[in-house]
Amino acid sequence: MHKWMRHLPIILIGLISTFIFQGCNLFMFDPPTEWHRVEFENLSSHEIKLTFKANEGKNTIIHWEDSFYIGSMVSYSVFNLVGDEAEKATIEKASNEFKDVIITLYIGSDSVKSWKGSSDYFEDTINSPFNYNSWEIRSVPKNPQNIVGAVTFTISDEDLQ
């Protein structure tokens, strides 16, 4: 009898116990990370420009474009973040990305509004990227990048006044 034949029962017991305790998970791969787009949506009747600048005295590194234009009735995706958390936590994470940043809204070359501050839950009547209540999550069609949703801040004509 070969040496390996003596160890066969031990090998089989090890394999069987692995299947019992691990179940089908033995052959499963880690699920792919699901992402959410963080976007600004312009529902106003004007093309707008948004700029992002670090607050005075802050060493904030802006890891997305520091300005961009958004046409009327168009959304602009700023960056993606991991979206495998609860909806509330995903919104908080999206809004908190802008901490230490001043966001300025322009129509043409005219500055219309600036937002800055710390994110928190403010009244629903306050539309600000720093108000968690101003963001919403919506699902998006399946895509190869595994983006499953969008965390959206919406700008309307009321914000331009």
Side-chain angles (χ1 to χ4, degrees):
M1 184 189 275
H2 294 284
K3 273 185 169 179
W4 67 269
M5 294 281 286
R6 282 185 270 170
H7 297 291
L8 185 61
I10 295 170
I11 293 170
L12 289 174
I13 290 171
L15 287 173
I16 291 169
S17 63
T18 299
F19 279 109
I20 290 172
F21 293 115
Q22 295 288 326
C24 296
N25 291 336
L26 181 66
F27 298 107
M28 288 184 70
F29 297 83
D30 286 335
T33 301
E34 293 182 338
W35 295 88
H36 277 76
R37 275 191 316 251
V38 175
E39 64 184 21
F40 285 79
E41 182 177 42
N42 178 12
L43 293 184
S44 77
S45 55
H46 299 278
E47 178 181 66
I48 61 172
K49 178 182 177 184
L50 291 177
T51 63
F52 301 85
K53 187 177 117 188
N55 254 335
E56 294 287 325
K58 301 289 183 177
N59 292 331
T60 304
I61 298 173
I62 297 175
H63 60 280
W64 60 87
E65 292 179 63
D66 61 356
S67 69
F68 48 84
Y69 289 91
I70 311 173
S72 179
M73 303 305 191
V74 176
S75 296
Y76 187 90
S77 179
V78 183
F79 55 84
N80 296 331
L81 58 83
V82 175
D84 54 358
E85 299 176 10
E87 184 173 307
K88 181 178 175 181
T90 302
I91 287 173
E92 290 173 0
K93 186 190 300 185
S95 181
N96 289 337
E97 282 291 319
F98 300 105
K99 73 177 185 182
D100 302 330
V101 174
I102 299 170
I103 303 170
T104 306
L105 172 72
Y106 292 88
I107 296 178
S109 60
D110 296 330
S111 172
V112 176
K113 179 176 274 189
S114 286
W115 292 288
K116 65 181 178 179
S118 299
S119 295
D120 204 343
Y121 289 96
F122 302 113
E123 296 176 31
D124 289 339
T125 57
I126 299 172
N127 193 37
S128 165
F130 299 102
N131 182 1
Y132 299 137
N133 290 320
S134 295
W135 293 84
E136 68 175 341
I137 292 186
R138 58 184 174 84
S139 60
V140 298
K142 292 211 179 249
N143 57 61
Q145 296 85 19
N146 212 27
I147 297 173
V148 297
V151 187
T152 306
F153 175 75
T154 303
I155 298 166
S156 67
D157 281 322
E158 291 175 358
D159 296 307
L160 306 181
Q161 300 170 2

